[in-house]
Every structure is written in structure tokens, then in C-alpha cells.
Amino acid sequence: MTELDEQMKKAYELLGLPEDATREQVENRYFILLKRARSEKTRSEAGEEDGETLNLTEINQAYNLIIGIESEKTVTVVKQSKIGHFFYYYKLHVIVGLLIVLVAGYMIKEGVDKRREAANTPPANLSVSVFGNFYFADTELLEQNMLNLVPEWQRIKTSLVYNPPEIQSQQDMALQQKSVLMLITEKDEVYVTDERNFESLAMQGLFVKLDEFAAKTGLTIPENLIRKARTEDDTADYAYGIDLTGHPIFNGVEVGGERQIVGIRAPEDKWDDTRILIGKLLETMR
């Protein structure tokens, strides 16, 4: 054992610490001993003898020796690894910078493509949301089937919002949160829902009362197709949905055995177009 090692061992013993004590433990112990030494000195000056007293000079020397050695070790390690850290640090920044450039380029391109697509896409006569447990639903086929009923229209904007029936994974949770966000941000005029989601959305007051819609548009809805529900503000059940389960427009769309219930969310200025589509659906119902 070298002389320095012997001094370090005695320094740790003086502070009452093991040789593998951390820097934080050394500093905490040092301040405790300082406080105790000063307290003993105060009592001694007041004439209160308290047996063996701590030597403040020895405590300071032990502390400075340990901290000094630890600091030298840290400086040595830093010097040895400084060049390596430099290249690692800047390599990371270069990679991150390239990723940012690539992502920014992709977003710009996607934005340009979307604007170009929007400029070449005819305006939609109506927007339809397929909302619920319809994971494999082919919305392009559904849109084409609806357009076949109204050939004078150029486009029906059709989107799919999958809302899982049960939350069994983080993905299901994310999809459910996305469905809620879509309800808030994308207010489509017509919703095709499954039974569970129809009841939930109707209860939230999302759909127009069909009695009011029929009174203003002259639409006649067969009684056997009407689905009723009650919102939080209703005192009785009202007609909010039209059950079109099995309608030919869903042939090949992959609705997964769920019922297909149509609810209307359109504002009054879109009721005429909504009445045209719903009327055609009712006319072609088997």
C-alpha cells in the first residue's frame, strides 16, 4: 500500500466512512462533522465539557484530500474522453440535423401534393363518415356505390374512423382517442355507425332528430327502419337513426357483421343534399 493510499484510508476512517463512499456521502458527512465540531466548540467556550472533541483541522484535511483525489480522477477521465465525446456529440447533431431536413422535406412535399390533389379534386356534394367497428371497411367502394345512386354528383367524401369495441392494447387506446378527436375536428354530414356507436353518439346529442329533418325536407322514413335513442337532454326516446343493415351499397364493403345505422349531423344548409342521398338509399332498400 502506498503512502497516499494509507492517507486516504485514514481520511475515510476519520470521517467515519467506507472507502467506496460516494462524493455526495463524503460531503454530507463533512458538513455534519463541521456542525458537530462547531457545536462542541461553543459548549467548550461556555464551560461545558463534553469529553473528547472533534479536531476541525483534521476533518478539513481529510475532506480536502478525498475531494481532491476524486476531482483529479474526474479531470483525468474527462481529458481522456473529451475527443471521443466531441465526435460523438457532433455526430449525433449531424444525424439529427439530417433527420430534421428529411422530415421537413417530406412534409413540404406532402403539403404540395395535397394542395395539388385538392386543386384537381372536385368539391364534395356530401361528406360521409363510416364510424365504428368497421376496421376493414372499403370506403372507396362504398363511395362509388353511393355515387351510383346519385350519378349527377361528382364526389362524396367518405372516410373511415375505426373505434374499437374494447380497449385491449395501447393501440386500441390510441385509436379510440383518435376517434374522439375526429368527432371534434371533422364534422361530417352523414354517419354510418354500428349499433354500439349509434347509441353512444346519439346520447351525446350528435345527430339531428329525424322528425325535424323529415318535417323540413319532406322525407318519408319507413317506421320499421327507424332507430330511437335518448340524449341527456331528452325526456323521451326520439328517432335519430335509420337502420340500413343489408343495403346493397354495403355489398363487398366488409362491415364485419355489424349493423349499419345512419345518423344525420348535417347543418340545415346541407339538408337538401342529405335528403337526396338518404332518399335514394331508402328507395333502393331491399
Side-chain angles (χ1 to χ4, degrees):
M1 181 181 292
T2 65
E3 183 178 351
L4 180 59
D5 291 337
E6 186 66 33
Q7 289 176 352
M8 286 289 290
K9 182 179 179 181
K10 289 182 179 179
Y12 279 109
E13 289 176 353
L14 183 64
L15 296 183
L17 292 170
E19 292 184 46
D20 60 352
T22 65
R23 185 187 182 98
E24 184 180 1
Q25 289 174 323
V26 172
E27 291 180 346
N28 289 340
R29 181 64 176 166
Y30 172 66
F31 287 117
I32 289 173
L33 292 175
L34 275 185
K35 186 176 180 181
R36 185 184 300 171
R38 287 168 181 164
S39 177
E40 289 176 352
K41 182 180 180 182
T42 301
R43 287 198 300 272
S44 177
E45 290 174 351
E48 300 177 9
E49 294 298 331
D50 194 23
E52 185 178 354
T53 58
L54 295 172
N55 189 316
L56 192 56
T57 301
E58 291 181 354
I59 292 172
N60 284 331
Q61 289 176 346
Y63 170 76
N64 290 332
L65 177 62
I66 294 172
I67 294 301
I69 295 297
E70 290 296 327
S71 297
E72 287 178 10
K73 289 180 181 178
T74 302
V75 170
T76 301
V77 170
V78 169
K79 285 181 178 178
Q80 290 176 344
S81 60
K82 186 175 181 181
I83 295 177
H85 278 298
F86 176 85
F87 284 112
Y88 175 81
Y89 181 79
Y90 283 101
K91 181 178 73 174
L92 182 62
H93 277 63
V94 169
I95 293 172
V96 171
L98 287 173
L99 287 174
I100 291 173
V101 170
L102 289 172
V103 171
Y106 172 79
M107 292 178 67
I108 292 172
K109 181 180 182 301
E110 187 178 33
V112 171
D113 289 343
K114 283 186 176 180
R115 285 195 294 271
R116 189 175 298 160
E117 181 182 354
N120 297 326
T121 302
N125 295 84
L126 213 60
S127 62
V128 176
S129 174
V130 181
F131 188 102
N133 187 26
F134 303 112
Y135 189 81
F136 296 103
D138 185 343
T139 53
E140 291 185 5
L141 177 59
L142 177 61
E143 178 178 339
Q144 189 56 56
N145 290 344
M146 289 188 291
L147 281 174
N148 290 339
L149 298 178
V150 197
E152 64 271 22
W153 285 6
Q154 290 185 297
R155 178 170 167 252
I156 298 175
K157 177 179 171 289
T158 310
S159 59
L160 172 64
V161 180
Y162 173 63
N163 187 16
E166 296 180 0
I167 304 301
Q168 298 180 339
S169 65
Q170 290 292 333
Q171 182 184 14
D172 290 341
M173 178 66 74
L175 287 168
Q176 187 183 70
Q177 292 173 346
K178 179 183 177 182
S179 69
V180 173
L181 181 64
M182 293 296 287
L183 284 175
I184 297 172
T185 59
E186 301 290 332
K187 297 184 179 181
D188 294 299
E189 283 106 30
V190 175
Y191 283 74
V192 178
T193 71
D194 55 38
E195 191 162 11
R196 181 181 63 88
N197 281 282
F198 165 71
E199 293 175 356
S200 174
L201 299 180
M203 185 182 68
Q204 296 174 47
L206 201 75
F207 298 140
V208 173
K209 288 182 179 179
L210 293 183
D211 291 343
E212 297 176 4
F213 182 82
K216 288 195 174 183
T217 62
L219 179 69
T220 301
I221 306 172
E223 191 67 31
N224 65 308
L225 299 182
I226 290 176
R227 293 296 301 270
K228 294 185 177 182
R230 183 180 301 189
T231 72
E232 294 178 354
D233 298 326
D234 288 337
T235 56
D237 291 338
Y238 288 92
Y240 286 104
I242 305 171
D243 195 336
L244 296 182
T245 302
H247 194 285
I249 63 164
F250 298 111
N251 290 346
V253 175
E254 297 291 341
V255 289
E258 297 284 355
R259 303 198 71 81
Q260 302 99 54
I261 303 172
V262 172
I264 299 171
R265 195 184 184 185
E268 286 197 36
D269 61 346
K270 297 293 292 184
W271 279 14
D272 287 341
D273 284 341
T274 304
R275 187 244 181 272
I276 291 173
L277 178 62
I278 299 296
K280 293 289 185 180
L281 290 170
L282 292 175
E283 289 175 11
T284 53
M285 184 70 182
R286 290 171 181 168

